[in-house]
Structures are given as structure tokens and as C-alpha cells.
């Protein structure tokens, strides 16, 4: 399971909840073990946040919503190829994330590569893990587009752009954000694939398009790094900004405030704030429902079909009479 679009996030939520439901239903111990093993692949900010969130789910949700399940049977494993988590952060933040996740019972498998996943068995470089839940957070690959030759793409399938966000020497074709790769002195591998470079490039590009219309000189893009943050769990985050590196509860508060302020619209901000406060104190999220169209094999689907048939037969009888 990937974690990029809203649809994928909904799919993942359904999948997690369904794994719990199926684990309660089965008497097969091996099957239950598989359903209760959650593996996150990739120890960047997304992987760390997801593993932390699953650990909080085990702590608060599983215990409450599935009293028949033995919480200790739920395994959360974070697999990463590097020797430290949050590799783009400072080592202090990596250490903090590793210590906190271990403290919350997340099994860390570092310097370990995933080789494949088949028949609900995840193959690692040094072992195999039976699991029904594998989340891929080990990086994104940009979509390519016809019309650009392969030498116009750099690593991660990102379009190589110049300092004015222009692609392949064209004057009027631009690429921005995750899909673009601008190598600069301070950023020899391009800018990080996070929101800030995308937003700053958009501002720069818009100004330059207006400047082009007015026949003025273009302004080269300069990235203002405002820092990085990642939540590791309830009350815990790491923050790096302007030379400061801190974490714990303060980091978590800073994370909350900054993310809240970036939500569009006062009404949304207020509603999300109320929702967060409610969830924080009650551990009760109204999102714990499985929402998806019915699938042919579902029990409910079969039940509905059976009811439809009964209804049809009934109407046929009435018509005939
Ligand atoms: C789980 C997760 C958590 C993240 N958390 C953070 C965070 O906390 N802070 C942070 O700064 N960043 C975070 N990021 C990264 C951040 O979301 C991206 O860096 C940012 O969205 C990049 O903006 P963008 O406009 O370049 O691309 P996107 O936001 O991905 O937008 C690209 C758009 O282009 C559309 N598109 C793609 N191909 C085509 C096509 N061929 N034709 C038409 N449309 C197309 C896509 O549907 C999409 O709407 C996170 C990413 C993920 C996956």
C-alpha cells in the first residue's frame, strides 16, 4: 500500500480496520498473526509518522475497540535501508525518533532492504515476515510525460530544470515541486520533496512569468529552508529550524500549530482544531469506520443481492395475480 493520495489514505485506513476485524473473526492463529503484523517500509518522515501512529493505535484504539484481541500480538515493524531513521534530519533527531519508537514497541529493522512481497510474505535481505499489511513509504517517483527525452529526467524521474524552473532549455515550459530537479550549490541533489520548495518555486515562477510579459529580467530561484519536522507519536515530534534542533512535547506543539496554520480557511482550521482536541482527550476518532463501495464477495453484498431477488420474485407474483 502506498501513501500519497487521499484515495490511498482512505484505502489504507479501511485496510487497517479490516485487518483488525478479520483478526477477531479467525480462529487460525497463523492467519491472525499475519493480520496483526504491520510493516512500514521506509524510515523517512512519512514512515516514522505512520509507525508512530500505528503504535498509538495499538495503545489506545485496539485495546478499547477490540477487547477480544490480545494487543501484544500486534506487531509494528519499520524497515529501512539506511543505518539511521530520518536520514535527511540531524543525527540527534534520528536518535530521538529511534528511541521513542522503540519505547512504543516498534521493531526497527535498519540497514535492511525489502526484496519483494508475494503471497502475504515480505522478503527482506535477511529474513521473511508473513504479513497482510505492508505500507510503502520509501520514496515517490514523479509521473513522466510524453514529449520529453530521457536525458531531460534526473533521479526519481524528476525533470531537470534550470534556476528559473525551465525545462530542457525551453523558455516557456516550467516544472515545479516534487516533479522538478534543480541542482544548486547548496542542493546538489535537488531540493527536498516537501511542500516548501514547491510553494516557493510557484511564487518565483509566477513572478518570472509576469516579468517575461513586461520584458524584465528573470529572478533566479533561491530556496529558503525553513526547517523540517516530523511527528513520532502522541506528544512527540522532532523539529529542526534556523539552527535549532528540539523535540518532545514542545516539538509536537510546534508541529501542531504550524500544520494548523497551513490549513486553508478559518472554518476548516477551527473544525480541525476542535476535532484534534476532542481526539486528544477522548482517544475517540470519528474516522474509525470502513467506507468503500461494496465488493462482490462481501457478505453484505450477497445479502443485498438475495434481498433483491426476494423482492423481484414478490413483485413478479403480485404482477401475475
Ligand atoms: C504521506 C505524505 C506526507 C507528507 N507530509 C508532508 C509534510 O508534513 N510537510 C511537507 O512539507 N511535505 C509533506 N509531504 C510532501 C508534500 O506533499 C509534497 O512535497 C508536495 O505536495 C509537493 O507539491 P507538488 O505540487 O509538487 O505535488 P503534488 O502535491 O503531488 O501535486 C501534483 C498534482 O499533479 C497531479 N498530476 C500528476 N500527474 C498528472 C498529469 N499527468 N496530468 C495532470 N495532473 C497530474 C496530481 O494528481 C497532483 O494533484 C508529504 C507527502 C506524503 C506523501
Amino acid at each position: 500500500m502506498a501513501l500519497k493520495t487521499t484515495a490511498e489514505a482512505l484505502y489504507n485506513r479501511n485496510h487497517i480496520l479490516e485487518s483488525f476485524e478479520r483478526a477477531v473473526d479467525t480462529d487460525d492463529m497463523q492467519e491472525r498473526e499475519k493480520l496483526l503484523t504491520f510493516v512500514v517500509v521506509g524510515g523517512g518522515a512519512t514512515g516514522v509518522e505512520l509507525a508512530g501512529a500505528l503504535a498509538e493505535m495499538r495503545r489506545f484504539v485496539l485495546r478499547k475497540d477490540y477487547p477480544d484481541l490480545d494487543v501484544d500480538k500486534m506487531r509494528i515493524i519499520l524497515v529501512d535501508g539506511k543505518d539511521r531513521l530520518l536520514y535527511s534530519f540531524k543525527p540527534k533527531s534520528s536518535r530521538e525518533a529511534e528511541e521513542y519508537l522503540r519505547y512504543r514497541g516498534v521493531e526497527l529493522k535498519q540497514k535492511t532492504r525489502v526484496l519483494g512481497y508475494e503471497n502475504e510474505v515480505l522478503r527482506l535481505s535477511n529474513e521473511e515476515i508473513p504479513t497482510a499489511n505492508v505500507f510503502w513509504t520509501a520514496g515517490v517517483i514523479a509521473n513522466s510525460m510524453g514529449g520529453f527525452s530521457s536525458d531531460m529526467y534526473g533521479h526519481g524521474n524528476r525533470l531537470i530544470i534550470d534556476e528559473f524552473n525551465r525545462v530542457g532549455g525551453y523558455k516557456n515550459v516550467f516544472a515545479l515541486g516534487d516533479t522538478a530537479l534543480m541542482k544548486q550549490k547548496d542542493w546538489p541533489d535537488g531540493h527536498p520533496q516537501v511542500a516548501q520548495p514547491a510553494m516557493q518555486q510557484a511564487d518565483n515562477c509566477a513572478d518570472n512569468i509576469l516579468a517575461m510579459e513586461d520584458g524584465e529580467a528573470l529572478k533566479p530561484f533561491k530556496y529558503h529552508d525553513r526547517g523540517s519536522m516530523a511527528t513520532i507519536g502522541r506528544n512527540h515530534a522532532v523539529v529542526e529550524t534556523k539552527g535549532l534542533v528540539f523535540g518532545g512535547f514542545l516539538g509536537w506543539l510546534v508541529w501542531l500549530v504550524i500544520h494548523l496554520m497551513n490549513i486553508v480557511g478559518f472554518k476548516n482550521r477551527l473544525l480541525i482544531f476542535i476535532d484534534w482536541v476532542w481526539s486528544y482527550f477522548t482517544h475517540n476518532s470519528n474516522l474509525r469506520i470502513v467506507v468503500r463501495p461494496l465488493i462482490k464477495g462481501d457478505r453484505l453484498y450477497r445479502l443485498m443481492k438475495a434481498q433483491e431477488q426476494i423482492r423481484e420474485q414478490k413483485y413478479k407474483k403480485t404482477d401475475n395475480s
Side-chain angles (χ1 to χ4, degrees), residues 3-4 46 49 140 143 176-179 193-196 198 259:
L3 182 52
K4 172 72 186 165
T46 305
E49 289 186 6
V140 290
N143 284 350
L176 313 171
D178 278 5
T179 203
Q193 285 169 291
V194 289
Q196 274 302 322
H259 279 77

Side-chain angles (χ1 to χ4, degrees), residues 31-257:
E31 180 66 13
R32 183 176 293 168
E33 216 171 279
K34 231 169 32 185
L35 288 164
L36 291 180
T37 301
F38 293 76
V39 186
V40 179
V41 185
T46 305
V48 163
E49 289 186 6
L50 181 59
L54 285 168
E56 301 298 351
M57 247 186 137
R58 173 172 58 192
R59 213 170 135 212
F60 297 109
V61 179
L62 203 63
R63 207 178 284 279
K64 199 163 91 175
D65 287 7
Y66 299 91
D68 294 341
L69 282 179
D70 179 359
V71 261
D72 295 333
K73 292 276 183 297
M74 178 180 173
R75 282 179 80 192
I76 303 154
I77 302 165
L78 179 55
V79 182
D80 191 67
K82 300 240 166 54
D83 57 357
R84 63 179 175 95
L85 299 181
L86 298 177
Y87 202 74
S88 60
F89 288 61
K90 300 254 183 315
K92 183 174 179 260
S93 303
S94 303
R95 264 197 314 277
E96 189 163 342
E98 286 162 12
E99 276 165 20
Y100 187 77
L101 287 179
R102 277 204 193 96
Y103 171 66
R104 286 281 166 238
V106 176
E107 298 169 45
L108 302 185
K109 295 192 186 291
Q110 291 166 281
K111 291 198 250 175
T112 305
R113 295 192 67 78
V114 169
L115 304 179
Y117 182 54
E118 237 175 323
N119 301 326
E120 298 198 322
V121 176
L122 186 71
R123 222 156 26 89
L124 306 182
S125 37
N126 46 6
E127 65 175 304
E128 292 191 340
I129 304 174
T131 170
N133 315 286
V134 180
F135 301 91
W136 183 264
T137 63
V140 290
I141 297 248
N143 284 350
S144 44
M145 206 166 71
F148 295 126
S149 54
S150 58
D151 59 334
M152 287 171 151
Y153 291 97
H155 64 82
N157 213 29
R158 294 163 78 179
L159 280 165
I160 299 168
I161 52 170
D162 66 13
E163 56 189 342
F164 305 111
N165 306 300
R166 295 180 302 202
V167 184
Y170 288 106
K171 288 205 162 25
N172 56 352
V173 180
F174 306 89
L176 313 171
D178 278 5
T179 203
L181 181 64
M182 185 192 293
K183 293 187 181 181
Q184 293 188 309
K185 200 170 133 265
D186 293 342
W187 303 96
D189 292 324
H191 302 104
Q193 285 169 291
V194 289
Q196 274 302 322
M199 287 158 66
Q200 292 178 27
Q201 279 178 332
D203 280 343
N204 172 263
C205 190
D207 286 347
N208 279 341
I209 290 172
L210 292 177
M212 274 161 68
E213 277 188 353
D214 298 340
E216 290 169 7
L218 305 188
K219 249 194 319 189
F221 175 70
K222 186 163 172 22
Y223 176 47
H224 300 287
D225 187 3
R226 295 188 180 163
S228 308
M229 289 183 292
T231 42
I232 322 169
R234 190 182 158 87
N235 296 344
H236 221 101
V238 287
V239 178
E240 296 182 0
T241 181
K242 299 189 170 127
L244 294 173
V245 181
F246 57 97
F249 185 65
L250 178 65
W252 185 72
L253 279 184
V254 171
W255 187 97
L256 285 182
V257 170

